[in-house]
């Protein structure tokens, strides 16, 4: 069951929503990339969450079964520091990703977490990319070993 803080409940009761979605990607080399749906860049706990055009996050798809929650990020190379050579070099392979919402007027990192997981398939095109996010449920569907 989801539990919300008193601050969050008061915010929701007020009826004026100023939430934005944020995603923090921690690459395999430890570099952190932040992106947001808000219209301005925001610095939270030392991570710059970059806004603007050039990339888009799809809706977060969730079911009530144990199927994997997923989301796609599509963008143009260079936006938010995502470079073609970094994608080709495997820096985003299985990178950690944390998705959360927060009030952009008073942002708090990880205030209202949505999902955490890893980046999956990366598709490269001539001038753009598509990266698939896979929730932690993906790990439950992978075969780790077999016993005979």
């Amino acid at each position: 069951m989801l539990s919300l803080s008193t601050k969050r409940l008061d915010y929701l009761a007020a009826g004026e929503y100023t939430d934005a979605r944020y995603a923090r990607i921690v690459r395999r080399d430890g570099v952190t990339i932040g992106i947001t749906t808000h219209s301005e860049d925001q610095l939270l706990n030392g991570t710059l969450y970059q806004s603007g055009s050039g990339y888009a996050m799809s809706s977060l798809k969730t079911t009530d079964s144990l199927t994997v929650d997923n989301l796609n990020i599509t963008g143009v190379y260079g936006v938010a520091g995502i470079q073609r050579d970094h994608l080709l070099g495997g820096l985003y392979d299985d990178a950690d990703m944390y998705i959360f919402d927060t009030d952009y007027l008073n942002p708090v990192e990880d205030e209202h977490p949505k999902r955490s997981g890893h980046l999956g398939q990366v598709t490269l095109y001539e001038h753009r990319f598509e990266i698939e996010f896979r929730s932690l449920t993906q790990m439950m569907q992978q075969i780790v070993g077999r016993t005979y």
Side-chain angles (χ1 to χ4, degrees), residues 124-141:
L124 303 176
Y125 300 96
E126 188 173 345
H127 299 289
R128 64 184 177 91
F129 62 86
E130 185 171 328
I131 304 173
E132 181 181 62
F133 165 78
R134 308 295 296 216
S135 69
L136 293 176
T137 314
Q138 171 69 29
M139 297 173 83
M140 294 172 40
Q141 297 189 11

Side-chain angles (χ1 to χ4, degrees), residues 2-46:
L2 179 65
S3 66
L4 300 174
S5 68
T6 305
K7 177 183 171 189
R8 185 73 177 170
L9 289 171
D10 291 344
Y11 165 76
L12 293 172
E16 295 180 18
Y17 306 116
T18 52
D19 271 3
R21 175 138 306 158
Y22 296 77
R24 183 175 63 252
I25 301 168
V26 182
R27 297 185 333 194
R28 293 171 52 112
D29 62 354
V31 172
T32 300
I33 304 286
I35 58 176
T36 180
T37 60
H38 182 47
S39 60
E40 297 176 6
D41 294 351
Q42 289 194 307
L43 185 64
L44 304 176
N45 289 344

Side-chain angles (χ1 to χ4, degrees), residues 9 17 19-20 30 34 41 44 47 50 56 59 61-62 67 69-70 79-80 89 94 100 116 121 129 131 148:
L9 289 171
Y17 306 116
D19 271 3
D41 294 351
L44 304 176
T47 300
Q50 297 183 49
S59 298
K61 296 176 186 166
T62 305
T67 58
D69 302 335
N70 63 44
V79 173
D94 203 35
F100 63 96
S116 59
Q121 181 175 342
F129 62 86
I131 304 173
Y148 296 96

Side-chain angles (χ1 to χ4, degrees), residues 67-136:
T67 58
V68 178
D69 302 335
N70 63 44
L71 169 141
N72 287 333
I73 300 171
T74 57
V76 178
Y77 299 120
V79 173
I82 300 175
Q83 303 291 338
R84 181 180 176 88
D85 58 332
H86 295 163
L87 292 165
L88 285 169
L91 293 178
Y92 289 89
D93 292 355
D94 203 35
D96 294 330
M97 184 167 168
Y98 307 91
I99 302 169
F100 63 96
D101 290 346
T102 190
D103 176 3
Y104 59 76
L105 297 176
N106 299 298
V108 176
E109 192 170 50
D110 298 327
E111 179 181 34
H112 188 62
K114 292 295 185 185
R115 295 290 179 278
S116 59
H118 304 281
L119 296 183
Q121 181 175 342
V122 175
T123 306
L124 303 176
Y125 300 96
E126 188 173 345
H127 299 289
R128 64 184 177 91
F129 62 86
E130 185 171 328
I131 304 173
E132 181 181 62
F133 165 78
R134 308 295 296 216
S135 69
L136 293 176

